[in-house]
Amino acid sequence: MLNSDELRLFLAVMREGNMLAAARRVGVDHSTVARRLTNMEATLGARLFDRSPRGVTPTPAAFALVSHAERIESELLAAMSSVAGRDREVEGTVRLATPEAFASHLIAPRVAALRERHPRLTLELASESKAASLSRREAEIAVMLKPPPKGRFVTRKLADYRLGLYASKAYLEREGRPSLRADLSRHVFVSYIEELAGFAEMIALDQLLPGAAIVFRASSSAAQHAAVAAGMGLGVLHVFAAAEDERLVQIFPESMEVWRSYWLVMHADLQRLPRVRAAADFLDEVMRGVRERL
């Protein structure tokens, strides 16, 4: 019969893609991983990985086993947290993956409140343009711009928010403020590097002004904000962030705003863990407090 240590090693290999990285992840040597995988394959009567000098490739048997192994892993984590929670506060580490502007303007300034409420809980905030893989346990919770198309996830909408067209006061003094939408054809713009954007929803400029003259691109929303504020050109920025910057002026706020949504996504097997519930509750509380600014 398989045991939990073997399943933990198996999941590490699936998530890392090679035995050396899996060994580092779980704190054992490479030979131990190889030996235990061989024992697992003997127990199951099926090959789990094809080995090669480039690494390992999961077989159909491995893909069939992974969902069962993840459920067992999650149940063990839930059991440990449940028992520990009878005698101690919420504790542990939760990694939260969010878009960059959400992390820097909405979560980081308020994270001290979470620490005050749960001193033993550590929040890891991974702010990236790409979507984190919850199925590979890159994060326990993710805030996404659209729900994942498939998987064993719990998903709910957190809030709607606005993107608006902005320019710096210095830019408008130099180039003139557009009085008509047609005037925008004389201006230059800042936008995303499209192939590095994790979600198509991040690129709102194409929706507002197809064919706009773009003179600067960045994968970072913070870099775009900084470039617009420095007078590089006009750009589509998060209203909740740009409204706090006195250097910026919104252009055509009545007609040139785009609405997007933030979605909270958790792996179904982790939602009952006290530390994950505490972090999710914190997100809901933050959204209630900032909804009018969004």
Side-chain angles (χ1 to χ4, degrees):
M1 180 178 294
L2 300 179
N3 61 52
S4 59
D5 285 341
E6 290 173 337
L7 291 174
R8 184 166 67 102
L9 287 173
F10 164 73
L11 287 173
V13 175
M14 288 291 288
R15 290 164 184 166
E16 298 294 339
N18 65 78
M19 291 189 190
L20 282 174
R24 287 194 296 268
R25 179 168 181 161
V26 299
V28 299
D29 57 53
H30 172 268
S31 61
T32 299
V33 175
R35 183 176 66 254
R36 291 188 178 177
L37 283 180
T38 299
N39 290 340
M40 287 182 68
E41 290 174 332
T43 300
L44 293 168
R47 190 175 71 259
L48 295 172
F49 298 97
D50 291 323
R51 280 87 159 169
S52 74
R54 294 186 300 274
V56 295
T57 302
T59 66
F63 287 115
L65 177 61
V66 69
S67 61
H68 300 288
E70 286 182 338
R71 279 198 295 274
I72 293 169
E73 176 190 52
S74 298
E75 287 298 326
L76 288 171
L77 289 171
M80 291 169 62
S81 294
S82 177
V83 172
R86 295 179 183 275
D87 300 313
R88 296 200 301 269
E89 304 171 77
V90 170
E91 65 177 314
T93 299
V94 174
R95 181 172 295 172
L96 168 63
T98 80
E100 184 179 26
F102 185 96
S104 57
H105 290 275
L106 301 180
I107 300 303
R110 296 167 176 82
V111 74
L114 178 64
R115 176 70 175 176
E116 184 176 349
R117 188 176 308 144
H118 302 296
R120 296 178 181 271
L121 178 64
T122 299
L123 183 68
E124 293 183 346
L125 190 54
S127 54
E128 301 176 338
S129 60
K130 70 179 182 67
S133 172
L134 297 181
S135 61
R136 295 185 66 240
R137 299 298 202 269
E138 292 177 352
E140 283 80 18
I141 304 175
V143 174
M144 299 182 177
L145 301 187
K146 62 181 179 181
K150 60 181 180 178
R152 300 186 65 251
F153 302 121
V154 175
T155 303
R156 68 173 185 272
K157 183 188 286 189
L158 275 176
D160 296 319
Y161 69 96
R162 293 169 294 151
L163 300 167
L165 185 65
Y166 284 85
S168 71
K169 295 174 183 177
Y171 176 90
L172 295 177
E173 289 174 4
R174 185 178 75 241
E175 303 293 339
R177 179 166 183 160
S179 57
L180 300 172
R181 185 170 179 137
D183 295 339
L184 294 172
S185 62
R186 298 187 290 103
H187 292 269
V188 295
F189 294 83
V190 167
S191 187
Y192 276 98
I193 303 172
E194 294 189 12
E195 60 267 30
L196 297 183
F199 298 94
E201 288 79 3
M202 297 171 72
I203 308 171
L205 182 61
D206 287 350
Q207 180 176 339
L208 290 175
L209 291 169
I214 299 173
V215 295
F216 176 74
R217 299 180 191 272
S219 61
S220 160
S221 62
Q224 292 174 58
H225 183 122
V228 174
M232 173 68 77
L234 283 73
V236 178
L237 306 177
H238 296 79
V239 171
F240 62 76
E244 298 176 345
D245 193 331
E246 294 182 352
R247 298 171 296 173
L248 295 172
V249 175
Q250 189 170 4
I251 308 298
F252 304 133
E254 298 83 7
S255 60
M256 299 203 72
E257 285 190 344
V258 176
W259 285 87
R260 295 286 189 258
S261 299
Y262 286 127
W263 295 83
L264 176 68
V265 185
M266 297 181 288
H267 199 286
D269 293 337
L270 301 182
Q271 62 175 320
R272 292 177 294 163
L273 297 181
R275 57 187 170 84
V276 174
R277 288 203 308 271
D281 290 344
F282 168 67
L283 288 177
D284 288 332
E285 180 180 310
V286 169
M287 289 296 99
R288 286 195 297 270
V290 303
R291 188 163 278 113
E292 291 185 1
R293 292 175 45 207
L294 302 180

